[in-house]
Amino acid sequence: QGMPQINHGLSQGAMDDMDHEEDPLALFSGDADDACIGEWTNEHLQVRIAHEDGRLVLQSTKKELVLTRSGFNEWLVADETDLMNTVYEARVSGYGHDASLTLKPPRHKGSDKEAVLRRVEHVQMEDAEPLAARAQISRRHHQQPEQQQRQRQKQ
């Protein structure tokens, strides 16, 4: 398990300038950590992940933890007082409405428990969805007789 590489040779500004010339719209040099940023929730927990002072911070009502990138869409989560002591492994999987954040204890703790959270805005949309779906079904139902009538008129 390698530690994340830190580039001490170039300042962030110099790296940004280089990226800007090769990729002026920042399509390919965007921050790779942004998949986890936002508010996540399940029935027991709500957390917010944000950039603060140049690092990723996970905030819940009880605690503030620091995320360190460990792979593609994967992070080690630790208390800022002891960054070497991983308390969770975090992983984002899926895209759009199917995106989920999984928090689980590190492998060496031998637990198979995990918390799966979804983006707050997607959960809120789903809560409102049954009404929208019912409205669409009733609109479709009302459109059918008109469509049938038009078909008869053409014949």
Side-chain angles (χ1 to χ4, degrees):
Q1 292 185 349
M3 291 301 289
Q5 295 296 309
I6 299 169
N7 184 337
H8 294 289
L10 283 172
S11 69
Q12 189 61 46
M15 287 166 54
D16 287 346
D17 289 346
M18 275 179 16
D19 289 343
H20 185 72
E21 286 171 27
E22 293 169 20
D23 182 13
L25 297 177
L27 294 173
F28 311 109
S29 57
D31 193 335
D33 282 333
D34 60 3
C36 68
I37 291 175
E39 293 194 36
W40 300 86
T41 189
N42 67 14
E43 56 277 3
H44 307 292
L45 176 68
Q46 183 159 336
V47 300
R48 180 175 176 263
I49 299 177
H51 268 288
E52 269 185 24
D53 305 321
R55 54 191 193 156
L56 279 173
V57 177
L58 181 150
Q59 302 157 329
S60 75
T61 51
K62 298 176 186 160
K63 205 109 179 100
E64 194 165 284
L65 302 168
V66 177
L67 282 79
T68 306
R69 183 173 195 72
S70 61
F72 177 71
N73 284 352
E74 293 181 351
W75 300 266
L76 300 178
V77 184
D79 193 302
E80 62 184 333
T81 58
D82 185 5
L83 292 177
M84 298 308 288
N85 182 21
T86 301
V87 290
Y88 300 113
E89 292 175 357
R91 183 181 77 249
V92 171
S93 52
Y95 297 93
H97 284 286
D98 296 326
S100 63
L101 172 72
T102 304
L103 293 171
K104 61 183 183 181
R107 287 183 197 95
H108 67 266
K109 297 222 171 138
S111 170
D112 58 358
K113 291 180 183 174
E114 59 180 39
V116 178
L117 293 85
R118 305 208 32 244
R119 291 196 178 276
V120 168
E121 61 269 25
H122 295 163
V123 172
Q124 288 168 346
M125 285 173 70
E126 277 175 16
D127 289 345
E129 224 167 64
L131 290 173
R134 281 200 293 274
Q136 205 152 10
I137 289 167
S138 68
R139 273 200 302 276
R140 239 183 276 132
H141 180 73
H142 291 299
Q143 285 171 349
Q144 280 179 336
E146 294 166 19
Q147 288 168 343
Q148 289 169 354
Q149 214 170 8
R150 268 188 242 124
Q151 297 259 308
R152 283 194 211 110
Q153 287 171 349
K154 286 180 185 171
Q155 289 172 347

